């Protein structure tokens, strides 16, 4: 039941320097259904693609067209798929965000995504409806340079490592707990997974739990993944985090890593023995395999939240086809989970690669990218009619029934809340304590921009509803890359803080952490017309309203049109009939 794919020449040949580069169509047909899986030895129902988990890897070359036809065989749930890090230039309808770019694909129906992968790098895809990403609905997406073109670094082999945190409860149960007025938090994960594999101690499953009989320590589906290397060679490890909650720290026993790529962009390389990966981020690290032993641990640990009951996730780096086994050496562990200074110092190491040979590098230019609009987004935890929520400038986001893009393109009256949320938080808000009045407003409003605007966006963190507590929030932008201008502790000062910004070579990213009680400044140019979410990539936080919507250039999208296959729900029902 492997992925069926076919590659056909597009017929277009592109001239790149002296070589002819031809873009092709890379085609996949996916059948989505519930499957039984045991990623950490505990058997449960998850969402599988073509019967497998993690989903099939998509591999294409720069400028190729990726076409994925996805059929929904899940009778009780709609589905969508988001191509994380792919900007969807000219194809905003293919972004795969339910309530924004399309209607969910209902039972028995198929939907075809078609988009260009314009930039080489490491990406991934994941469900973007409800909390389906947490149900195992994800896989890797790798964009190579065309034949004959090379990265500005050298390696002899490569491997993908998709990392995740994992719970035993099903997502429907988890979502219901988060939505309920008797709020039930999901808690910390049971396991950490590398390439969809971890290992839970089955003797911890209570005897009365029906799963006690299906938690099987010797199930081969939870045997640690083995990454094979040849002694003396240098490997590119492509890391991607689809975590639902945790920041993860990756470390290889006895080996250093040279970080060369972040979110699909080349960076100024640096060496480290451990790397923080926030949910929604991708990295490439080069590892020179000069170890003397047959097997080494790959280790994954929680950062930024307690790791008390979350054991190290393990994989095996195996040399020269020796018999693979888990070494009996201590598990690799980076800095302590609450060593925030270490995480902040590492985050600040990322700089765009100077003299980047990649013409699509998206280099920052302080003249060209001077700010035209500034927005400050305050992240708070609140209450709405007894429900626990996350809010941005005192508005918690509620998905609309009518997809935002269609609502704007067809100007459907009453489908969209056109009142933009505030550009600034309530003045004088004390970020260090929970508010005396925790109530917030619910909304689905849209920040509307002019194409060409350069927006500086300040994310400001604050206390949760618990005194002295503030959490890490990795923010992800759809449709655009932004530059990370800076990070700081405490309250952002519009006069003093900008003096600390990196104006020389800030890194271009699509994901950025916001540290507890701190602020993060990003800047981006509105150059890709459409409707785009900007949200916390913690699955549970976005579900609790931690996101905002951006839109610009809708006239251009309208001229080009959006496929009628994106319609059919909410107030687009009648349009669907008009445009069958
Ligand atoms: C990709 O397409 C763009 C736009 O058509 C073109 O400028 C660029 O040279 C192409 N790159 C490669 C590597 O084919
Ligand atoms: C598994 O859990 C049991 C019960 O909590 C404990 O006695 C045992 O030491 C654990 N095994 C490992 C390998 O951690
Ligand atoms: C556990 O898995 C192993 C390997 O697949 C299998 O041989 C064994 O029968 C399973 N045990 C139970 C109790 O299902
Ligand atoms: C492997 O190479 C690194 C740097 O290239 C060096 O520091 C280390 O000592 C080498 N390890 C072994 C076992 O040779
Ligand atoms: C390991 O096995 C593979 C497959 O049989 C083979 O291609 C490769 O050359 C072997 N590597 C080494 C270092 O022996
Ligand atoms: C930055 O942009 C300005 C205005 O477009 C241009 O004159 C200048 O050459 C650019 N600088 C670099 C380093 O590209
Ligand atoms: C959208 O519809 C409203 C009336 O419902 C109208 O006032 C407005 O001009 C329309 N906008 C566009 C862009 O067509
Ligand atoms: C947020 O909105 C709620 C509901 O309107 C209000 O009661 C509360 O005072 C507002 N909080 C802030 C900090 O503006
Ligand atoms: C919060 O932290 C401050 C400063 O560390 C301390 O004085 C205060 O007692 C703490 N409050 C609570 C409720 O823990
Ligand atoms: Cu968050």
């Amino acid at each position: 039941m492997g992925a069926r794919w076919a590659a056909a020449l597009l017929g277009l040949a592109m001239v790149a320097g002296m070589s002819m580069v031809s873009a092709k169509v890379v085609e996949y047909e996916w059948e989505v259904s519930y499957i039984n899986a045991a990623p950490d030895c505990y058997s449960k129902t998850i969402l599988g693609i073509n019967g497998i988990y993690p989903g099939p890897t998509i591999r294409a070359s720069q400028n190729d067209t990726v076409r994925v036809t996805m059929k929904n065989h899940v009778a009780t749930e709609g589905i969508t798929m988001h191509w994380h890090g792919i900007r969807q230039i000219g194809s905003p309808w293919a972004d795969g965000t339910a309530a924004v770019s399309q209607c969910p694909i209902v039972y028995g129906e198929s939907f075809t995504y078609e988009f260009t992968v314009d930039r080489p790098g490491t990406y991934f895809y994941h469900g973007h409806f409800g909390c389906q990403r947490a149900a195992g609905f994800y896989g890797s997406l790798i964009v190579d340079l065309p034949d004959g073109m090379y990265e500005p670094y050298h390696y002899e082999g490569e491997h993908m490592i998709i990392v995740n945190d994992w719970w035993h409860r099903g997502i429907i149960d988890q979502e219901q707990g988060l939505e309920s007025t008797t709020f039930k938090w999901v808690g910390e994960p049971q396991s950490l997974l590398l390439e969809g594999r971890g290992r839970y101690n089955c003797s911890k499953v209570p005897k009365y739990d029906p799963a006690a009989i299906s938690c099987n320590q010797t199930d081969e589906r939870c045997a640690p993944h083995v990454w094979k290397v040849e002694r003396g060679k240098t490997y590119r490890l492509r890391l991607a985090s689809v975590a639902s909650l945790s920041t993860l720290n990756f470390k290889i026993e006895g080996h250093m890593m040279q970080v060369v790529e972040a979110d699909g962009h080349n960076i100024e390389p640096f060496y480290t023995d451990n790397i923080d990966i926030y949910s929604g981020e991708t990295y490439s690290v080069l590892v020179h395999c000069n170890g003397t032993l047959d097997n080494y641990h790959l280790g994954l640990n929680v950062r930024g939240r307690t790791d008390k009951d979350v054991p190290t996730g393990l994989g095996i780096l195996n040399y020269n086809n020796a018999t693979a086994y888990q070494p009996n050496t201590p598990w690799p562990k980076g800095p302590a989970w609450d060593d925030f200074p270490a995480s902040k110092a590492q985050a600040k190491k990322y700089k765009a690669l100077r003299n980047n040979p990649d013409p699509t590098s998206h280099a920052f230019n302080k003249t060209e990218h001077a700010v035209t609009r500034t927005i400050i987004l305050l992240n708070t935890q609140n209450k709405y009619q007894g429900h626990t929520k996350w809010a941005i400038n005192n508005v918690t986001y509620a998905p609309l029934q009518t997809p935002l893009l269609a609502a704007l393109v067809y100007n459907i009256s009453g489908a969209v809340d056109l009142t933009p949320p505030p550009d600034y938080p309530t003045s004088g808000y004390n970020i260090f304590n929970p508010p005396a009045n925790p109530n917030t407003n619910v909304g689905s409003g849209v920040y509307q921009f002019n194409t060409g605007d350069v927006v500086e966006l300040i994310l400001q963190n604050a206390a949760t509803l618990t005194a002295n507590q503030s959490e890490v929030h990795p923010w992800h932008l759809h449709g655009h890359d932004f530059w990370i201008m800076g990070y700081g502790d405490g309250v952002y000062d519009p006069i003093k803080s900008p003096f600390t910004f990196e104006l020389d070579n800030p890194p271009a990213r699509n994901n950025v952490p916001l540290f507890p009680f701190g602020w993060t400044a990003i800047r981006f140019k509105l150059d890709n017309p459409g409707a785009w979410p900007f949200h916390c990539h913690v699955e549970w936080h976005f579900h609790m309203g931690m996101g905002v919507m951006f839109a610009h250039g809708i006239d251009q999208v309208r001229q080009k049109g959006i496929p009628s296959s994106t319609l059919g729900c909410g107030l687009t029902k009648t349009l669907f009939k008009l445009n069958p």
Side-chain angles (χ1 to χ4, degrees):
M1 270 231 271
R4 277 192 285 152
W5 67 276
L9 285 182
L10 235 185
L12 303 173
M14 261 157 280
V15 183
M18 295 302 288
S19 61
M20 292 289 282
V21 179
S22 49
K24 57 187 185 307
V25 179
V26 181
E27 205 162 338
Y28 295 82
E29 278 177 43
W30 287 355
E31 315 266 328
V32 176
S33 62
Y34 282 136
I35 60 167
N36 175 266
D40 68 345
C41 305
Y42 183 103
S43 155
K44 68 177 277 197
T45 298
I46 68 165
L47 287 169
I49 299 171
N50 293 346
I52 65 165
Y53 160 81
T57 296
I58 292 183
R59 191 125 203 172
S61 296
Q62 186 178 11
N63 282 354
D64 282 355
T65 297
V66 173
R67 188 186 293 149
V68 182
T69 298
M70 190 161 92
K71 183 167 184 190
N72 184 4
H73 291 278
V74 183
T76 53
E77 292 179 61
I79 55 173
T80 67
M81 192 59 84
H82 170 58
W83 319 94
H84 188 108
I86 306 298
R87 289 169 297 167
Q88 300 293 349
I89 291 171
S91 52
W93 59 269
D95 194 40
T97 47
V100 184
S101 62
Q102 70 171 106
C103 293
I105 308 163
V106 299
Y107 176 57
E109 303 272 305
S110 291
F111 182 89
T112 302
Y113 293 94
E114 188 169 314
F115 52 90
T116 306
V117 286
D118 63 317
R119 237 188 24 220
T122 306
Y123 307 97
F124 60 95
Y125 60 83
H126 64 82
H128 214 294
F129 185 32
C131 295
Q132 288 178 343
R133 189 178 86 231
F137 202 25
Y138 59 80
S140 304
L141 195 171
I142 296 170
V143 182
D144 293 306
L145 274 166
D147 284 347
M149 293 177 79
Y150 299 95
E151 309 283 5
Y153 40 86
H154 180 69
Y155 54 95
E156 292 151 290
E158 66 164 81
H159 289 299
M160 185 73 211
I161 307 179
I162 197 160
V163 298
N164 197 10
D165 47 7
W166 194 253
W167 282 258
H168 292 166
R169 279 168 68 210
I171 57 157
I172 304 297
D173 192 29
Q174 290 174 305
E175 288 174 16
Q176 197 277 333
L178 298 176
E179 291 161 15
S180 167
T181 49
T182 51
F183 181 68
K184 192 173 173 194
W185 175 237
V186 297
E188 303 308 319
Q190 274 72 61
S191 303
L192 302 180
L193 311 180
L194 290 94
E195 223 30 42
R197 286 155 183 266
R199 189 166 284 192
Y200 187 73
N201 180 348
C202 288
S203 60
K204 291 201 291 191
V205 179
K207 290 281 176 289
Y208 59 79
D209 187 330
I213 55 159
S214 51
C215 188
N216 182 351
Q217 216 80 65
T218 56
D219 190 323
E220 63 189 28
R221 294 175 297 176
C222 60
H225 192 95
V226 176
W227 283 269
K228 287 185 170 289
V229 295
E230 234 175 88
R231 187 165 286 110
K233 291 194 170 169
T234 298
Y235 288 80
R236 175 184 190 172
L237 302 184
R238 298 174 180 267
L239 299 158
S241 173
V242 291
S244 298
L245 174 67
S246 325
T247 302
L248 299 168
N249 181 270
F250 176 76
K251 191 173 161 82
I252 311 173
E253 186 180 23
H255 293 71
M256 289 293 280
M257 298 177 269
Q258 187 186 25
V259 193
V260 292
E261 180 212 351
D263 294 357
H265 293 275
N266 296 323
I267 55 154
E268 277 294 309
F270 68 89
Y271 283 94
T272 182
D273 71 343
N274 74 88
I275 179 172
D276 286 337
I277 314 170
Y278 298 85
S279 174
E281 291 185 341
T282 65
Y283 292 100
S284 281
V285 298
L286 302 185
V287 177
H288 179 54
C289 291
N290 63 347
T292 51
L293 306 177
D294 288 343
N295 294 288
Y296 291 87
H297 280 124
L298 300 185
L300 204 57
N301 292 285
V302 170
R303 304 275 298 142
R305 305 183 64 90
T306 177
D307 60 357
K308 192 165 76 71
D309 294 315
V310 193
T312 301
L314 297 169
I316 298 172
L317 186 72
N318 173 259
Y319 272 79
N320 292 29
N321 296 331
T323 308
Y325 59 85
Q326 199 79 62
N328 56 12
T329 44
W331 298 343
K333 221 162 162 41
W337 71 267
D338 57 354
D339 186 350
F340 288 102
S343 286
K344 290 176 191 175
Q346 189 170 84
K348 289 175 187 169
K349 280 191 181 166
Y350 291 93
K351 306 281 180 220
L353 179 65
R354 289 189 182 83
N355 307 316
N356 194 338
D358 178 0
T360 62
S361 71
H362 204 57
F364 180 75
N365 176 325
K366 64 183 168 197
T367 316
E368 214 175 304
H369 304 130
V371 178
T372 63
R373 181 165 165 191
T374 301
I375 294 177
I376 299 181
L377 299 179
L378 172 71
N379 294 217
T380 55
Q381 198 178 36
N382 300 82
K383 288 283 180 184
Y384 180 74
Q385 295 181 352
H387 304 269
T388 304
K389 294 287 179 186
W390 290 96
I392 304 306
N393 290 354
N394 210 20
V395 182
T396 183
Y397 170 71
L400 290 165
Q401 233 195 320
T402 304
L404 176 59
L405 183 65
L408 294 172
V409 165
Y410 291 100
N411 195 19
I412 307 169
S413 144
V416 51
D417 180 2
L418 287 171
T419 328
D423 277 15
Y424 298 97
T426 310
S427 71
Y429 186 90
N430 179 356
I431 68 154
F432 298 103
N433 276 308
N437 166 12
N439 291 326
T440 193
N441 307 291
V442 70
S444 320
V446 186
Y447 289 91
Q448 304 220 42
F449 298 101
N450 300 313
T451 297
D453 270 352
V454 177
V455 175
E456 187 139 86
L457 211 147
I458 315 297
L459 289 160
Q460 175 69 61
N461 213 341
T464 63
L465 290 174
T466 307
N468 283 355
Q469 196 195 73
S470 182
E471 297 185 10
V472 175
H473 303 288
W475 279 77
H476 172 62
L477 178 61
H478 291 233
H480 303 80
D481 289 320
F482 49 72
W483 296 282
I484 302 176
M485 308 310 292
Y487 301 94
D489 293 327
V491 181
Y492 176 78
D493 181 333
I495 309 293
K496 290 187 190 141
S497 302
F499 286 106
T500 67
F501 286 0
E502 169 65 56
L503 294 168
D504 179 19
N505 58 343
R509 305 285 300 254
N510 60 58
N511 223 87
V512 69
L514 172 61
F515 293 105
F517 294 115
W519 55 261
T520 295
I522 63 171
R523 200 183 285 190
F524 58 101
K525 185 171 178 174
L526 280 296
D527 56 4
N528 183 22
W532 308 106
F534 177 53
H535 63 94
C536 175
H537 209 262
V538 167
E539 191 79 319
W540 320 121
H541 289 182
F542 185 43
H543 196 66
M544 291 162 71
M546 198 167 205
V548 293
M549 294 297 134
F550 294 155
H552 75 102
I554 295 302
D555 288 346
Q556 275 165 269
V557 181
R558 190 180 294 122
Q559 268 164 29
K560 227 182 147 188
I562 56 174
S564 64
S565 56
T566 63
L567 312 174
C569 59
L571 295 175
T572 65
K573 280 191 196 110
T574 49
L575 284 169
F576 189 56
K577 286 188 192 119
L578 291 172
N579 305 276

